[in-house]
Amino acid sequence: MTDPEWPSIFDGHNDMLLQLAELPAHEAIRQFLDGRGDGHLDWPRMRRGRFGGGLFAVFVPPANDRSPLVPTGTGYDKALAPAMGAAEAMPRVMTMISRLLRIEAASEGRFRICRSVADIRAAESVGAVAAVLHFEGAEAIDTDFEALDVFHAAGLRSLGLVWSRSSAFGEGVPFRFPSGPDTGPGLTEAGFALVAACNRRRIAIDLSHLNEQGFWDVARTSDAPLIASHSNAHAICPHARNLTDDQLRAIARSNGIVGLNFANYFLRPDGGLGADTSIEVMLDHLDHMLSIMGPDHVGLGSDFDGVRAMPAPIRDVASLPALPQAMQARGYDAATIAAISRDNWLRVLEATWGG
């Protein structure tokens, strides 16, 4: 496989909308379409990096969360962020959805919000970026799911039940190293109802950030493939955010997918942030997940614009071809590279959304 043959990449998670929400709307649109001076994602760099599309997250960060990483002797801990209600979350959520809609309107067809895999393929066929609206945390959704109906009509097709905090639906995992993901109680009654509501609407359920008890609650009640959009192998990096081998097996049995997270502290066996992180550790996680799950259940979930510290060869989206190049050097065949880069995501989303 030579460079011009690298597959287009479908990415399971980015936080670009969070970054653009900090700018006035007209400036956010201009910077996305013409190029930003910082961050990881914009349209010119997406094209250079063969970025075909992905899940674009709406995430509301804690307003007053100043709790630090606390050294523990063997690693670090950070308390769960404070809970957030719908009234607090809704204005930021609406701003980010608006950014997505306005970018599409201004893009002259170069950027398309997609509600089906047919939409994604159609965008790809004309060189447009295919954007799927995703929520990283369900704080803006009421327990009667009236808002869910509205968001679904606006294009919501993927939902993370929680971020790393408690909500009406369940509890996330803390940023803790070393730690297993079994850190708290499972889904609430409202959380089980939200799983059923997503199943009825064919909205994908994302298990990244959900603790282990919540994971197993979803696994035994959802009728959709299990998805962890941006998580890694706990056996390689024992961070609370990463997945145990039993969780990886359950995702594979469900015909689901795990997207490799590019953040150093979810990759490195020492949990560190060091700038000297090699791209090889990304391949170590891929090797492990492939050995447990097989080649049909592994994808990419970069966390671009959500984290800063990534392996040095992955500076931004324009440098994405470095990863399939490294896969090839590790001995992955062309079919496996294409499956991880794009094909597995499209298959799982089609199985979840239908037709």
Side-chain angles (χ1 to χ4, degrees), residues 225-303:
L226 300 178
I227 293 171
S229 67
H230 58 304
S231 295
N232 292 336
H234 192 271
I236 303 295
C237 171
H239 195 291
R241 271 275 283 105
N242 286 338
L243 299 167
T244 68
D245 288 355
D246 283 345
Q247 290 175 300
L248 296 176
R249 293 187 186 98
I251 291 170
R253 287 195 300 270
S254 78
N255 200 31
I257 191 169
V258 178
L260 177 75
N261 192 310
F262 296 4
N264 286 348
Y265 43 86
F266 302 141
L267 288 168
R268 291 171 60 112
D270 64 2
L273 302 176
D276 59 343
T277 304
S278 167
I279 201 170
E280 297 300 313
V281 73
M282 302 176 78
L283 301 175
D284 294 342
H285 281 268
L286 290 176
D287 284 352
H288 184 82
M289 290 191 285
L290 289 167
S291 73
I292 297 293
M293 307 175 75
D296 295 333
H297 307 292
V298 183
L300 303 179
S302 67
D303 219 348

Side-chain angles (χ1 to χ4, degrees), residues 188-239:
T188 64
E189 182 178 348
F192 283 110
L194 180 56
V195 170
C198 288
N199 284 169
R200 289 193 298 273
R201 293 163 178 80
R202 311 315 300 167
I203 297 172
I205 298 169
D206 181 15
L207 302 172
S208 288
H209 285 284
L210 187 62
N211 66 20
E212 186 171 8
Q213 292 301 310
F215 175 100
W216 293 117
D217 286 342
V218 175
R220 66 185 173 84
T221 57
S222 176
D223 65 9
L226 300 178
I227 293 171
S229 67
H230 58 304
S231 295
N232 292 336
H234 192 271
I236 303 295
C237 171
H239 195 291

Side-chain angles (χ1 to χ4, degrees), residues 19-311:
Q19 304 303 319
L20 295 184
E22 302 302 317
L23 301 171
H26 69 280
E27 182 63 15
I29 294 165
R30 186 195 67 78
Q31 287 197 21
F32 173 75
L33 294 175
D34 296 342
R36 299 162 61 196
D38 57 9
H40 294 132
L41 292 167
D42 54 44
W43 194 86
R45 285 183 289 175
M46 287 176 178
R47 303 320 300 155
R48 294 201 298 274
R50 298 186 62 80
F51 181 96
L55 274 60
F56 283 69
V58 168
F59 163 61
V60 182
N64 297 303
D65 179 25
R66 303 187 184 282
S67 57
L69 287 177
V70 178
T72 60
T74 57
Y76 54 81
D77 195 6
K78 179 179 172 66
L80 285 175
M84 178 180 294
E88 182 181 356
M90 187 67 76
R92 297 294 301 278
V93 166
M94 296 301 288
T95 295
M96 284 180 262
I97 295 174
S98 175
R99 292 289 186 275
L100 192 71
L101 294 168
R102 292 186 186 194
I103 287 170
E104 180 185 45
S107 73
E108 299 179 335
R110 292 176 286 169
F111 183 91
R112 299 185 181 184
I113 299 171
C114 296
R115 295 166 170 81
S116 67
V117 171
D119 286 349
I120 294 171
R121 295 186 191 281
E124 290 179 338
S125 71
V126 296
V129 169
V132 176
L133 177 59
H134 166 77
F135 280 13
E136 186 176 20
E139 284 84 0
I141 295 171
D142 59 279
T143 54
D144 290 327
F145 309 126
E146 292 174 348
L148 185 64
D149 291 334
V150 176
F151 292 138
H152 182 259
L156 180 68
R157 291 298 181 270
S158 178
L159 173 67
L161 301 182
V162 299
W163 183 66
S164 288
R165 56 190 166 210
S166 297
S167 76
F169 306 108
E171 186 172 299
V173 288
F175 292 95
R176 180 182 300 161
F177 178 93
S179 173
D182 186 8
T183 60
L187 298 185
T188 64
E189 182 178 348
F192 283 110
L194 180 56
V195 170
C198 288
N199 284 169
R200 289 193 298 273
R201 293 163 178 80
R202 311 315 300 167
I203 297 172
I205 298 169
D206 181 15
L207 302 172
S208 288
H209 285 284
L210 187 62
N211 66 20
E212 186 171 8
Q213 292 301 310
F215 175 100
W216 293 117
D217 286 342
V218 175
R220 66 185 173 84
T221 57
S222 176
D223 65 9
L226 300 178
I227 293 171
S229 67
H230 58 304
S231 295
N232 292 336
H234 192 271
I236 303 295
C237 171
H239 195 291
R241 271 275 283 105
N242 286 338
L243 299 167
T244 68
D245 288 355
D246 283 345
Q247 290 175 300
L248 296 176
R249 293 187 186 98
I251 291 170
R253 287 195 300 270
S254 78
N255 200 31
I257 191 169
V258 178
L260 177 75
N261 192 310
F262 296 4
N264 286 348
Y265 43 86
F266 302 141
L267 288 168
R268 291 171 60 112
D270 64 2
L273 302 176
D276 59 343
T277 304
S278 167
I279 201 170
E280 297 300 313
V281 73
M282 302 176 78
L283 301 175
D284 294 342
H285 281 268
L286 290 176
D287 284 352
H288 184 82
M289 290 191 285
L290 289 167
S291 73
I292 297 293
M293 307 175 75
D296 295 333
H297 307 292
V298 183
L300 303 179
S302 67
D303 219 348
F304 278 145
D305 277 330
V307 298
R308 294 182 181 274
M310 296 183 173

